[in-house]
Amino acid sequence: MKYYLKKCGYQELGSVKDGKPQRGRYLLTSMKTLDFFPPLSTTQLNDSAILPIIPLYLGEKVYCTYVYHNSKFHDTTIKRPRNEYRIYLNNQVEGNRLLFQVDDIVIIRTEEITENDEQQTIYLLDIVQDKNSDFYHKLNAKIEHSKINGGYAFFDGVLSPFENKVAKLEIKSPTKLDKSFTNQIEKIDESVLSKLFNSVSFREFVMVGYETLCAITGTVIKHGNYHNLEAAHIKPKSHGGLFLPNNGIALCRDMHWAFDKGFVTINADFTVKIHPKTTSEWLQSFDNKPINLPKDEFFRLAIENLEYHSKEIFGLFLNSGRL
């Protein structure tokens, strides 16, 4: 196994004074460790990726932004242009407190997991804070003798304290997304943002936004980690729709089918519209009713996608040759 080790620095953690960070908290990554993380482009200003991270001390998947601050290659008028990679921390990954401290050692390794027949690379993360422990001394010695300057190292082998925690881990899908994280994403240009999501993160973000309830029926059939909800595209992927949260809505499976076939659409005022030629009394019972809107504006449906669905998908079932 290969582990990424990072010793936390004062400036990275926001230069904390009197218990308050003076700026955003992040972890720098060295240019010599880039192969461990998703590739980012020099030609795209501040290119970004979304890292699905499972902190072993939380046991729940969270998301962080990974940003290449590359103004050095884009704006020569800046006095101190940047050329650095950062993993931005947020309240959720730190358990809603200033968990990471100066000289703590962060351990990260990747793992491939399959969810609903789709593969995703996740980043397992733990933090070693007991500076008197043998484990800390072992990792610290590795960092001090590393050829990578700045508090970085790779460890090849098995870190048993880390793997013992992984063995007990039951991976849970995210139940919320921290506002500090969504605020970071909202600052990203949409041309870049559209590349950050895939089918797995799209589904998870949509479920979080709608609090794992069908947006139309307001219900869910759930047992443990299983439920009957699906993340539906408003503008279909086959029509050029993107894996963006504002193009997704949580629907129970029957409603998802009806939505994709054009029995159902959603008006620009977020009310349900059932096609007048629909014979299902169950579907007709939802006509003109408001959908359950996400509380966070970040997840609100894009009006242009709703208009596309109403124009191009609504009533599709009438032409059976197109189904």
Side-chain angles (χ1 to χ4, degrees):
M1 294 184 181
K2 186 174 185 178
Y3 303 85
Y4 171 80
L5 308 179
K6 175 67 178 81
K7 197 171 185 178
C8 298
Y10 174 73
Q11 185 169 337
E12 294 171 82
L13 297 183
S15 304
V16 176
K17 293 181 180 179
D18 299 324
K20 295 182 179 180
Q22 306 303 301
R23 59 186 67 85
R25 289 160 67 85
Y26 57 88
L27 296 176
L28 279 172
T29 63
S30 168
M31 296 288 183
K32 295 181 179 180
T33 66
L34 298 183
D35 289 346
F36 194 80
F37 298 102
L40 297 178
S41 170
T42 303
T43 58
Q44 173 67 54
L45 177 63
N46 296 333
D47 198 14
S48 307
I50 295 176
L51 299 185
I53 295 176
I54 299 181
L56 301 187
Y57 46 85
L58 294 178
E60 181 177 90
K61 188 188 296 181
V62 300
Y63 283 90
C64 291
T65 51
Y66 174 52
V67 182
Y68 179 23
H69 291 285
N70 52 20
S71 56
K72 177 180 179 180
F73 305 102
H74 293 269
D75 190 347
T76 57
T77 64
I78 300 177
K79 291 183 179 180
R80 293 184 178 181
R82 290 179 180 175
N83 181 26
E84 61 185 31
Y85 293 77
R86 295 180 178 184
I87 299 172
Y88 279 94
L89 304 176
N90 54 53
N91 294 332
Q92 196 173 2
V93 78
E94 292 199 85
N96 295 308
R97 56 195 173 102
L98 299 182
L99 176 62
F100 290 26
Q101 300 295 319
V102 175
D103 291 337
D104 287 352
I105 296 177
V106 174
I107 310 172
I108 303 176
R109 80 162 172 84
T110 61
E111 184 160 313
E112 299 294 325
I113 64 172
T114 301
E115 297 182 13
N116 298 322
D117 298 323
E118 295 173 294
Q119 196 171 50
Q120 183 184 41
T121 300
I122 59 172
Y123 294 80
L124 301 172
L125 179 149
D126 201 15
I127 184 168
V128 182
Q129 297 184 300
D130 184 357
K131 297 170 180 59
N132 294 317
S133 68
D134 291 341
F135 190 42
Y136 182 92
H137 291 311
K138 177 181 179 178
L139 300 178
N140 194 45
K142 187 69 176 179
I143 291 172
E144 288 182 349
H145 292 91
S146 173
K147 295 180 180 179
I148 310 172
N149 295 326
Y152 310 94
F154 282 114
F155 183 95
D156 292 307
V158 177
L159 294 176
S160 296
F162 185 95
E163 295 306 326
N164 290 340
K165 292 183 181 181
V166 174
K168 299 176 183 178
L169 187 66
E170 182 181 346
I171 298 175
K172 300 177 183 178
S173 295
T175 56
K176 62 180 180 178
L177 293 172
D178 191 82
K179 187 65 178 176
S180 61
F181 169 70
T182 55
N183 284 344
Q184 291 170 9
I185 294 183
E186 287 174 337
K187 297 175 183 177
I188 299 174
D189 184 83
E190 187 163 301
S191 63
V192 176
L193 191 62
S194 64
K195 299 184 295 182
L196 302 189
F197 291 90
N198 55 32
S199 57
V200 176
S201 55
F202 170 76
R203 180 175 61 251
E204 291 183 337
F205 274 53
V206 169
M207 292 305 153
V208 169
Y210 288 87
E211 299 180 344
T212 319
L213 291 172
C214 176
I216 294 179
T217 69
T219 62
V220 61
I221 299 174
K222 188 174 183 180
H223 178 79
N225 292 328
Y226 297 96
H227 56 73
N228 69 329
L229 300 182
E230 296 173 341
H233 283 80
I234 305 300
K235 183 177 182 180
K237 190 172 181 298
S238 59
H239 291 223
L242 303 175
F243 281 124
L244 289 176
N246 66 6
N247 188 41
I249 185 171
L251 297 175
C252 64
R253 291 179 179 177
D254 286 347
M255 193 62 75
H256 186 183
W257 177 87
F259 189 78
D260 284 352
K261 302 306 180 187
F263 292 91
V264 184
T265 195
I266 298 172
N267 296 313
D269 63 356
F270 304 116
T271 57
V272 179
K273 184 176 182 179
I274 306 298
H275 199 282
K277 293 190 177 181
T278 299
T279 57
S280 167
E281 293 183 4
W282 177 71
L283 285 177
Q284 289 291 358
S285 69
F286 296 101
D287 194 37
N288 292 321
K289 290 188 175 181
I291 67 169
N292 298 294
L293 286 172
K295 296 175 183 177
D296 191 333
E297 290 285 343
F298 175 79
F299 299 98
R300 293 292 175 89
L301 300 174
I303 298 300
E304 60 268 26
N305 291 334
L306 293 177
E307 292 174 343
Y308 185 92
H309 188 276
S310 294
K311 180 180 178 181
E312 301 294 336
I313 308 300
F314 192 53
L316 191 63
F317 69 97
L318 295 173
N319 185 351
S320 59
R322 294 173 61 191
L323 294 180

